[in-house]
């Protein structure tokens, strides 16, 4: 009798709400749409606040990915056609510049993947608070957040991966509940065909999504007892997948746009080379470790999982996997097989940025975490009467408890993933455009690494009178083609020589020229061991005033730093607008005889995350040594303009100098000295 009374009361409440609100707003599906939208909005808001405003060096390929879609060209292997087309649509969004719009695409894709994760958990675990927790936990995990604020394929791919999984799970759930009549369930057919289409399209955001194929085959096989798959539906799904896979016809159509040496070796202009471009270019990185290395590789993966979900999250995922196996066996087989294939493949993949390749696996892992939380709540609530104040208090306590890891994730990850102030690449190239005279030749790294330079000229064409030969081909430049024109470089001469070594035509730089620094900018991603320094060099026939008899710096310092003595510096101003430049002259004296090419010098203005880093002397010391003018007590000057980041906050900032000596054993010894207070103002 009491159950009947409660049901009648619930119906009464629903009826009263329906008179006040539209019927759709009180339905379960509407609530899920609202909550999924809330997950998207919260995730996107955080990503947008920490979004990079333009190009960065956070990714090896990011600047190429931010440029080629605008041109509708061909990206590096395996081509990423669907990513290119999506990117082209985002470049049409009238907000910021092209690079910012491509960063925005990553934020949108990552937030969309989190909203879909909410939908997946609600579909399987049928618990909205737990689904919210799992979605936000994944949203602010370090791996996904790091890719949501820059241009890369991994955030967009997370969305396509999640959409594929959701559509097939939704199809399976419809079969499980026996919806529709016999084989005439149009909604089920649409879900299956839509899943096949999205699965095929997802191969154009990352080819590793093929890992879903064996899991999907098993899932379809397990669902056959609920309702045999209509052959026409199966053929339609296969046809849509094949149609989506035809996106790779884009490769031969745009093969002529390639300008990277490695990619040109596999130029996809016939069936054999298309296959090689898609599957074989980086074959040496796949299954690169022997079986004996498996424990170390699994240990590396375990560390990545712990970094993203914590030790408690890992324990919940183990319990959740068992719970899901008991409650949702078919779905568990689907997700579990996909997860194991992802792990088996990428633990054997030998790349420096391996952490981001596990993002699809992390999404599946978050589903297991959700089931673990569900199991924990069910076990705890089982000892409390179902309709009691204690049960309500317990539910609220759980919500408060699981808000803690989300808060810690956001607070801890904000500084790590905040790229909103990373304006240095854009600042540098804006100054380069001003500094390079008409009718000049401008060189940088060829191919994929050179898109930091190419981007500004391909997306806005700021100086049509400046020739950038590498836009056409990596070996398009020859010394004979200079014909008396000024030559400028945005990479160190030795880097360009190394990058072009082995190319047909030997696009080497003239050996008899002096390469003098003109302009340098800080960069967040320059390490002492290499990285991507932002420096503009001018080539000239006359030696610069580099070697000095005596030094008379405006500001004397006289500090010995790791084998060299920093005598002092000149500076043209102590007040500068953010985005402007400071003219510096740094005076040095050699103290000990080892080669000074091992010394690195770094200047930091205010924000320690951004450093202007260069080899001491900008490479000119080696030229002096070759001419036999090096000796103990050797005194020299570095003369260049330092770009002040436009993202630097207004106020006084300390200009700090650091040095590092790489000895014969590669040891690191860092010394620093504060130079002067600079008053930074808004322009």
């Amino acid at each position: 009798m009491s159950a009947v009374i409660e049901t009648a009361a619930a119906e009464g409440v629903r009826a009263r709400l329906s008179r006040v609100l539209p019927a759709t707003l009180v339905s379960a599906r509407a609530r899920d749409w609202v909550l999924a939208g809330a997950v998207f909005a919260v995730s996107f808001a955080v990503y947008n606040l920490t979004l990079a405003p333009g190009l960065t060096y956070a990714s090896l390929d990011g600047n190429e990915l931010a440029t080629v879609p605008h041109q509708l060209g061909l990206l590096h292997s395996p081509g990423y056609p669907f990513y290119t087309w999506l990117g082209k649509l985002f470049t049409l969004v009238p907000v910021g510049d092209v690079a910012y719009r491509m960063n925005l695409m990553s934020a949108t894709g990552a937030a969309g993947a989190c909203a879909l994760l909410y939908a997946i958990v609600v579909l399987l675990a049928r618990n909205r608070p737990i689904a919210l927790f799992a979605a936000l936990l994944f949203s602010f995990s370090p791996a996904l957040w790091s890719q949501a604020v820059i241009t890369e394929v991994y955030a967009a791919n997370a969305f396509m991966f999640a959409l594929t999984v959701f559509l097939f799970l939704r199809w399976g759930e419809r079969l499980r509940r026996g919806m529709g009549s016999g084989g005439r369930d149009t909604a089920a057919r649409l879900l299956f065909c839509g899943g096949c289409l999205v699965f095929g399209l997802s191969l154009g955001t990352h080819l590793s999504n093929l890992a879903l194929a064996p899991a999907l085959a098993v899932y379809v096989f397990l669902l056959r007892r609920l309702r045999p798959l209509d052959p026409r539906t199966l053929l339609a799904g296969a046809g849509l997948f094949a149609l989506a896979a035809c996106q790779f016809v884009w490769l031969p159509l745009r093969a002529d746009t390639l300008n990277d040496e490695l990619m040109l070796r596999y130029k996809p202009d016939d069936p054999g080379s298309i296959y090689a471009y898609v599957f074989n270019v980086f074959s040496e990185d796949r299954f690169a470790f022997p079986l004996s290395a498996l424990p170390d590789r699994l240990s590396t993966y375990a560390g990545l999982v712990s970094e993203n979900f914590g030790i408690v999250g890992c324990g919940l995922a183990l319990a959740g996997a068992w719970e899901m196996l008991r409650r949702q066996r078919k779905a568990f087989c689907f997700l579990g097989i996909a997860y194991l294939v992802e792990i088996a493949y990428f633990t054997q993949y030998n790349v420096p940025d391996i952490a981001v390749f596990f993002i699809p696996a992390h999404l599946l892992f978050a589903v297991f975490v959700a089931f673990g939380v569900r199991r924990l709540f069910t076990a705890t609530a089982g000892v409390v009467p179902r309709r009691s104040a204690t049960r309500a208090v317990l539910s609220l306590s759980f919500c408060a408890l699981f808000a803690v890891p989300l808060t810690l994730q956001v607070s801890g990850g904000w500084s790590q993933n905040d790229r909103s102030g990373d304006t240095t690449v854009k600042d540098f190239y804006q100054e380069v455009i001003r500094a390079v005279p008409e009718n000049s030749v401008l060189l940088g790294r060829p191919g994929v690494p050179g898109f930091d330079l190419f981007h500004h000229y391909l997306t806005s064409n700021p100086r049509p009178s400046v020739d950038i030969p590498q836009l056409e081909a990596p070996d398009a430049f020859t010394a004979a083609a200079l014909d008396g024109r000024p030559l400028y470089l945005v990479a160190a001469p030795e880097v360009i020589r190394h990058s072009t070594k082995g190319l047909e035509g030997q696009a080497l730089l003239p050996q008899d020229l002096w390469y003098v620094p003109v302009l340098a900018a800080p960069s967040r991603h320059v390490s002492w061991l290499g990285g991507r320094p932002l420096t503009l060099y001018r080539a000239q026939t006359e030696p610069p005033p580099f070697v000095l008899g005596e030094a008379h710096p405006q500001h004397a310092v006289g500090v010995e730093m790791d084998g060299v003595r920093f005598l002092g510096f000149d500076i043209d101003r102590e007040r500068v607008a953010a985005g402007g430049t400071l003219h510096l002259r740094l005076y040095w004296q050699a103290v000990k005889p080892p080669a000074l090419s091992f010394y690195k010098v770094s200047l930091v203005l205010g924000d320690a995350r951004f450093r202007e880093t260069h080899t001491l002397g900008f490479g000119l010391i080696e030229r002096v040594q070759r001419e036999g003018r090096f000796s103990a007590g050797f005194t020299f000057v570095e003369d260049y303009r330092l770009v002040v980041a436009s993202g630097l906050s207004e106020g006084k900032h300390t200009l700090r100098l650091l040095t590092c000596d790489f000895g014969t054993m590669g040891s690191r010894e860092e010394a620093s000295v504060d130079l002067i207070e600079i008053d930074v103002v808004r322009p």
Side-chain angles (χ1 to χ4, degrees), residues 133 137 312 316 372-373 376-377 397-407:
F133 168 73
L137 185 71
V312 175
L316 288 171
V373 175
L376 180 62
F377 178 76
S397 299
F398 258 78
C399 291
L401 176 63
F402 286 101
V404 172
L406 295 178
T407 304

Side-chain angles (χ1 to χ4, degrees), residues 448-483:
V448 170
F451 272 90
D452 53 351
L453 167 62
F454 304 158
H455 176 87
H456 296 83
Y457 285 82
L458 288 173
T459 61
S460 59
N461 194 26
R463 293 286 298 280
S465 61
V466 175
D467 184 16
I468 305 177
Q470 294 155 327
L471 279 172
E472 302 299 326
D475 58 350
F477 171 76
T478 60
L482 275 177
D483 194 25

Side-chain angles (χ1 to χ4, degrees), residues 47-309:
Y47 296 153
N48 193 48
L49 288 172
T50 55
L51 194 70
L55 298 184
T56 75
Y57 290 143
S59 164
L60 297 173
D61 309 316
N63 295 335
E64 180 211 15
L65 293 166
T67 307
V68 172
H70 177 267
Q71 307 301 114
L72 283 177
L74 180 58
L75 289 163
H76 67 275
S77 174
Y80 305 101
F82 190 61
Y83 179 88
T84 301
W85 303 337
L86 284 177
K88 180 61 178 179
L89 293 177
F90 269 85
T91 63
L92 302 177
V93 176
V95 179
D97 60 13
V98 170
Y100 176 79
R101 296 168 194 172
M102 292 299 296
N103 294 341
L104 200 63
M105 174 176 163
S106 293
T108 305
C114 298
L116 285 167
L117 177 59
Y118 166 84
I120 290 169
V121 175
V122 165
L123 184 69
L124 298 177
R126 300 182 184 88
N127 188 301
R128 293 184 181 88
I130 290 174
L132 284 172
F133 168 73
L136 293 175
L137 185 71
F138 177 64
S139 173
F140 304 126
S141 60
L144 182 65
W145 194 349
S146 71
Q147 300 305 297
V149 295
I150 62 172
T151 297
E152 253 297 355
V153 298
Y154 305 108
N157 182 63
F159 174 80
M160 296 300 294
F161 183 90
L163 183 58
T164 303
V165 170
F166 172 75
L167 289 173
F168 279 108
L169 287 174
R170 186 73 183 84
W171 166 71
E173 187 67 9
R174 190 170 181 85
L175 296 187
R176 192 185 70 81
R177 294 184 180 183
M179 297 179 178
S181 57
R184 300 178 180 177
D185 188 353
T186 303
R189 289 201 297 269
L190 289 175
L191 286 168
F192 180 81
C193 292
C196 291
L197 178 65
V198 172
F199 180 35
L201 291 174
S202 75
L203 303 183
T205 53
H206 209 278
L207 203 61
S208 66
N209 292 336
L210 282 171
L212 282 173
L216 284 171
V218 171
Y219 189 53
V220 171
F221 176 78
L222 292 175
L223 289 172
R224 77 193 188 285
R225 292 184 179 179
L226 298 177
R227 186 183 303 168
L229 193 61
D230 179 10
R232 289 178 299 177
T233 303
L234 182 61
L235 286 174
L240 287 170
F241 174 82
L243 178 64
C246 287
Q247 64 181 287
F248 288 94
V249 173
W250 182 255
L251 273 61
L253 295 177
R254 304 299 290 166
D256 288 340
T257 66
L258 290 173
N259 73 343
D260 181 82
E261 178 198 4
L262 177 60
M263 298 300 106
L264 284 169
R265 294 177 188 172
Y266 296 87
K267 186 177 181 181
D269 50 8
D270 61 64
S273 59
I274 293 172
Y275 177 85
Y277 195 87
V278 175
F279 294 105
N280 287 344
V281 172
F282 303 114
S283 58
E284 67 278 3
D285 295 329
R286 299 193 288 269
F287 303 103
F289 299 95
L291 189 61
S292 59
L294 184 59
D296 288 339
R297 300 303 299 164
L298 291 177
S299 176
T300 298
Y301 172 68
L304 294 174
V305 173
S306 177
E307 179 184 344
N308 282 272
F309 297 97

Side-chain angles (χ1 to χ4, degrees), residues 161 165 211-212 214-215 298 301-302 304-305 309 314 317-318 321 331-347 358-368:
F161 183 90
V165 170
L212 282 173
L298 291 177
Y301 172 68
L304 294 174
V305 173
F309 297 97
C314 294
L318 289 174
F332 173 78
C333 290
F334 174 29
L335 301 190
I337 292 172
Y339 175 77
L340 290 176
V341 172
E342 289 273 346
I343 300 309
Y345 183 75
F346 284 120
T347 51
F358 289 109
I359 288 176
H362 292 338
L363 186 146
L364 301 178
F365 193 88
V367 178
F368 301 146

